[in-house]
Amino acid sequence: MLKLTYCIKKLVMVTRRLLGHVLLFICLTSVTGAPSSEPTEEETTTTTQDRCIRCCDPHGYPTQPTTASATAPGPQPGGYYPPYPMPQIHPQINITILKGDKGERGDRGPHGKLGKEGAVGLQGPTGSKGDRGQAGVPGDSYKQHYSAFSVGRKKGLHSSDYYQTLIFDTTFVNLYGHFNMFKGKFYCYIPGIYYFNLNIHTWNFKETYLHIMKNDLDMVICYAQPSDRSIMQSQSIMLELQENDEVWVRLYKRERENAVYSDDVDIYVTFNGYLIKPDLY
């Protein structure tokens, strides 16, 4: 019973609200009126004056002013459109398009700076085999580039004779036979720089006086004064030789006896030499 009463009250309230809205709408309509779709006279005049008219289409506009003349271009009162002034054309020539005769060639400019080195490119394909070249100039005949000797003497020597060559009787090394044992001389077959060494043993109370010779020139001396005891004496030298030069040992002539000691058991006297650097050019 309570629920039914509550629903009836609610329905009455909604109905009252709807009736109020309907009455308000009716009142507003009667005061303002409905909008009309027909244009007014003012709108027609404004639309006619403001619409766009082509200049070549004079329909609807008089050729002479109806009220007062106007000097300004454009629309005038009464719908008169005076003619627009004709534009004045001023021709202009673009001088830049006029091409003249070709001028003389200028001097060559300086070289520019060298650019950076680029990366190494890929290896190209193998080229075709070229033609056979001409034969070269005949070269020198083949020569040995080695030379060495080492000889010794077993017998002692006492001499007061004039200059004489020291002869050796023992061979240790004689490469290619460049040392002549019969003459006691080394003969140069390969030009270049050589090293020579002489070792001797002195005799008691006797003088020892020898020279290492190059051809007929004495180069170095090997000397020992007389003494009550014998000693070993040595001399060395490097010589630059040409082909057919001779190197040998010479006993020097003195007023006293010149002696070199040795015996049949041991070898006390040796003479050595070898090529250090050949002259190939």
Side-chain angles (χ1 to χ4, degrees):
M1 191 68 181
L2 293 176
K3 289 183 178 181
L4 181 59
T5 304
Y6 177 78
C7 291
I8 293 172
K9 289 182 178 181
K10 271 286 187 184
L11 182 60
V12 172
M13 292 177 62
V14 172
T15 305
R16 287 179 179 178
R17 289 182 180 179
L18 291 174
L19 290 175
H21 287 299
V22 172
L23 292 175
L24 180 60
F25 177 76
I26 294 172
C27 293
L28 292 174
T29 304
S30 62
V31 174
T32 59
S36 176
S37 60
E38 297 180 0
T40 62
E41 182 180 356
E42 184 179 359
E43 292 176 354
T44 303
T45 304
T46 305
T47 305
T48 304
Q49 294 178 356
D50 295 340
R51 66 179 181 175
C52 181
I53 302 299
R54 292 182 296 176
C55 61
C56 60
D57 188 8
H59 297 289
Y61 295 93
T63 59
Q64 297 296 330
T66 56
T67 56
S69 60
T71 57
Q76 304 296 323
Y80 170 66
Y81 274 78
Y84 284 88
M86 293 297 293
Q88 297 181 3
I89 300 175
H90 300 281
Q92 296 181 357
I93 300 176
N94 188 359
I95 301 178
T96 59
I97 65 175
L98 297 179
K99 185 175 181 180
D101 297 334
K102 187 175 181 180
E104 297 180 357
R105 185 173 183 179
D107 298 335
R108 186 174 183 179
H111 291 283
K113 294 182 179 179
L114 187 64
K116 295 182 179 179
E117 185 177 357
V120 179
L122 300 176
Q123 185 176 0
T126 304
S128 57
K129 187 176 181 180
D131 299 333
R132 185 175 182 178
Q134 298 179 356
V137 179
D140 297 334
S141 59
Y142 176 75
K143 296 181 180 179
Q144 301 291 343
H145 293 162
Y146 301 97
S147 180
F149 72 92
S150 179
V151 294
R153 180 182 175 92
K154 289 184 176 181
K155 297 179 180 180
L157 178 61
H158 297 266
S159 176
S160 58
D161 295 338
Y162 193 69
Y163 305 114
Q164 59 176 312
T165 304
L166 184 61
I167 302 299
F168 299 88
D169 52 23
T170 303
T171 302
F172 300 107
V173 174
N174 190 9
L175 192 60
Y176 308 119
H178 291 179
F179 190 88
N180 191 319
M181 296 295 292
F182 298 100
K183 295 182 178 181
K185 294 182 178 182
F186 169 77
Y187 290 89
C188 176
Y189 291 92
I190 305 173
I193 299 175
Y194 288 78
Y195 172 82
F196 297 96
N197 169 258
L198 174 65
N199 299 289
I200 61 173
H201 193 281
T202 64
W203 206 298
N204 295 348
F205 304 106
K206 293 183 180 181
E207 186 179 41
T208 302
Y209 202 144
L210 300 96
H211 284 100
I212 296 179
M213 305 291 293
K214 175 184 175 183
N215 299 326
D216 294 332
L217 300 176
D218 52 341
M219 307 305 295
V220 290
I221 188 174
C222 184
Y223 177 77
Q225 293 180 342
S227 175
D228 56 352
R229 59 179 183 175
S230 61
I231 59 173
M232 292 293 298
Q233 198 78 344
S234 179
Q235 182 63 278
S236 301
I237 188 175
M238 294 176 64
L239 295 174
E240 184 174 2
L241 303 180
Q242 301 300 324
E243 192 171 359
N244 297 324
D245 281 345
E246 302 174 0
V247 180
W248 49 288
V249 179
R250 185 190 68 178
L251 276 74
Y252 189 69
K253 177 176 173 54
R254 299 281 287 181
E255 296 178 356
R256 67 187 76 180
E257 189 177 26
N258 196 350
V260 175
Y261 177 81
S262 190
D263 58 33
D264 297 334
V265 178
D266 299 316
I267 297 176
Y268 290 87
V269 182
T270 59
F271 185 38
N272 313 288
Y274 56 88
L275 175 64
I276 296 177
K277 182 182 181 300
D279 186 5
L280 302 178
Y281 303 100

